[in-house]
Amino acid sequence: MKDKVIIIGGGIAGLAMSLFLKKANIESVVYEQAEAYGKVGGHFVIHPSGVQMLELLGLGEEIKQNSHQIVDFAVLDQNNKPLFEEMGEEQELEGMPHLINIARFHLIDVLYKKAMELGIDIQFGKRLKGFTQNEQSVHVTFEDGTEEVGSILIGADGVRSKTRELLFPFPSNPLKYLGKTGVYGMIETEKLGALKKYFTTETSLMYFHDNFNFFVSKHHPTDTEISWSLITTEPRKVAKKIFEGKPLEQLKADLAARFEGWEMPIQHLIQATDHIIAKQLYRIDLMENYSHGRIVLIGDALHTADPNAGMGTTLAFEDAMYLAKMLRDHDYEDAFYYFEHDRKPRAKKVFHSANLLDNLEFDNVEDYAFFNDGINASWEK
């Protein structure tokens, strides 16, 4: 692969894709619809194989300095009692490859700085309008009237991917309401006052109750900020006006009310948080085709991973590494074939892994993507 690759989407998947292509000596241009990166978004848990992908990019130390390594993890009920007695109060993960929790803006910053260091072209304010392809190239148009021609196009533009929508039009891969809502919060710990001590320990906390789960953890080596998320099962979609469109103070009051009488002061944590994102969650079914012609999808544009699997970011890093390696070693047709053939079993496992937190049943463990799954991925062969 010698000619320029066009990447649609300059988020985590797109930046990782450009970096792995650079590692494979393949030039790319990244087109991002936002005007600039900013302190937006929530937090991500990245599994061990995702951490390994970052280390392959030479970013291990930068990530360590900008994330929280999850070495202690507690699964608790409303009385702060462990849900699984065999785990004890804390589930020790020191014997396993580590997971990390990291804020989206910290992760973007690390990837973007590396891209700038390597001279990768990233163009902002570029919203995809359409594309055509022929035997030699892909011709791309943007809503600002500009155009681009490249050898292949990689859609890394997220859950609501415009690339996927154009490549596989409805009803081929319809975006469906997942049956869940997500609320993501980030707070400066000084706003918690005396309650800071409950949430700035090294232990990451997961709570289960009725139809929701709540996660709270540090996301940085310092304790100046922490992040939390609330994933709720809502079989019937909630109207926007009473969820995403609800005034912040009213939304916080409604969320906090769920935790009245709990042992941990989660009520106060939510009420003190000013940076909150609330959204309905969507996904597509497992895709049969990952590409068509010279156009291929990666990351959330391809998998739309359930947040209960906690592996969307990890999948994106794995996709980027493996696709870049295939393009390094093969022409695009073979590369796309191997990418789809070899990644499908992994995607299927991640798809099923969300069920673990939906029903807390651990039968048929071979069907799920656990913490250390996929850790042996190699760039060399």
Side-chain angles (χ1 to χ4, degrees):
M1 176 63 62
K2 300 293 185 183
D3 299 326
K4 179 172 59 181
V5 173
I6 296 172
I7 300 172
I8 302 298
I12 288 162
L15 289 173
M17 188 74 249
S18 70
L19 291 171
F20 275 114
L21 287 173
K22 191 73 171 181
K23 187 176 178 69
N25 295 314
I26 299 171
E27 294 302 314
S28 65
V29 181
V30 179
Y31 292 92
E32 165 58 31
Q33 67 179 9
E35 295 296 332
Y37 293 125
K39 190 176 179 179
V40 296
H43 68 98
F44 303 112
V45 171
I46 303 179
H47 284 237
S49 58
V51 175
Q52 185 190 32
M53 298 303 101
L54 290 164
E55 291 172 347
L56 286 175
L57 291 172
L59 296 173
E61 188 58 34
E62 287 85 351
I63 291 297
K64 186 176 181 180
Q65 293 173 3
N66 286 279
S67 66
H68 172 63
Q69 183 172 328
I70 299 177
V71 294
D72 292 325
F73 192 86
V75 182
L76 306 164
D77 63 15
Q78 69 186 92
N79 298 312
N80 238 35
K81 302 298 183 183
L83 279 174
F84 305 105
E85 293 298 334
E86 64 271 20
M87 293 183 182
E89 184 175 350
E90 296 175 354
Q91 179 186 7
E92 296 292 336
L93 300 178
E94 292 184 80
M96 299 174 61
H98 63 276
L99 297 87
I100 62 171
N101 188 42
I102 187 168
R104 182 184 186 276
F105 69 89
H106 281 145
L107 182 54
I108 287 284
D109 189 55
V110 170
L111 296 170
Y112 179 62
K113 285 179 178 177
K114 185 67 174 180
M116 291 297 93
E117 175 189 322
L118 296 176
I120 293 171
D121 186 3
I122 301 175
Q123 299 195 23
F124 293 94
K126 295 291 185 178
R127 188 178 296 272
L128 176 66
K129 181 178 181 181
F131 50 73
T132 58
Q133 57 179 315
N134 55 39
E135 292 183 2
Q136 288 78 39
S137 62
V138 179
H139 182 252
V140 183
T141 58
F142 298 95
E143 290 188 1
D144 64 0
T146 58
E147 302 179 356
E148 180 63 278
V149 177
S151 57
I152 63 172
L153 185 153
I154 300 174
D157 44 349
V159 172
R160 296 184 178 275
S161 169
K162 180 70 171 181
T163 310
R164 183 184 66 237
E165 176 187 321
L166 295 171
L167 189 62
F168 301 115
F170 183 86
S172 298
N173 293 284
L175 195 61
K176 305 174 182 177
Y177 172 59
L178 180 59
K180 296 173 185 175
T181 63
V183 183
Y184 305 88
M186 194 172 295
I187 181 173
E188 297 173 3
T189 54
E190 64 179 21
K191 293 183 178 180
L192 292 171
L195 300 179
K196 174 181 175 180
K197 63 183 180 181
Y198 291 100
F199 300 107
T200 55
T201 67
E202 294 303 302
T203 303
S204 299
L205 307 173
M206 175 70 84
Y207 291 89
F208 288 91
H209 184 71
D210 294 339
N211 68 331
F212 65 82
N213 63 72
F214 184 86
F215 175 79
V216 58
S217 175
K218 294 172 63 175
H219 61 244
H220 197 272
T222 71
D223 60 356
T224 59
E225 279 188 334
I226 59 171
S227 52
W228 55 264
S229 57
L230 175 69
I231 307 299
T232 304
T233 300
E234 296 283 0
R236 186 171 183 263
K237 184 178 179 296
V238 181
K240 292 179 182 178
K241 64 182 179 181
I242 60 172
F243 187 56
E244 298 104 316
K246 183 176 288 187
L248 178 60
E249 291 305 315
Q250 186 179 348
L251 176 64
K252 290 197 294 185
D254 291 348
L255 296 173
R258 300 187 185 194
F259 298 92
E260 185 175 357
W262 282 48
E263 185 70 21
M264 281 286 278
I266 297 174
Q267 267 192 313
H268 303 285
L269 171 67
I270 293 172
Q271 289 168 337
T273 304
D274 292 325
H275 179 77
I276 291 180
I277 300 169
K279 57 185 179 180
Q280 316 275 349
L281 302 177
Y282 290 82
R283 74 169 307 156
I284 57 174
D285 294 331
L286 286 169
M287 292 190 69
E288 287 298 316
N289 302 106
Y290 287 13
S291 65
H292 177 65
R294 292 177 171 270
I295 302 166
V296 65
L297 304 172
I298 68 166
D300 276 346
L302 176 63
H303 307 296
T304 61
D306 188 317
N308 270 358
M311 297 192 68
T313 306
T314 298
L315 272 182
F317 287 138
E318 293 175 356
D319 282 350
M321 186 280 287
Y322 201 73
L323 179 57
K325 185 168 69 169
M326 292 301 99
L327 289 168
R328 177 196 68 187
D329 297 341
H330 306 284
D331 63 34
Y332 82 90
E333 290 178 306
D334 282 344
F336 288 1
Y337 168 81
Y338 292 130
F339 174 65
E340 178 181 317
H341 180 275
D342 297 346
R343 293 292 292 155
K344 273 187 174 180
R346 173 69 162 157
K348 185 176 181 180
K349 276 193 170 186
V350 171
F351 188 92
H352 290 303
S353 293
N355 297 333
L356 288 174
L357 294 190
D358 284 339
N359 54 37
L360 299 181
E361 293 181 2
F362 292 83
D363 297 331
N364 302 318
V365 294
E366 67 276 3
D367 293 337
Y368 302 108
F370 282 105
F371 297 138
N372 60 346
D373 197 39
I375 196 66
N376 294 319
S378 170
W379 176 254
E380 305 306 326
K381 57 182 180 180

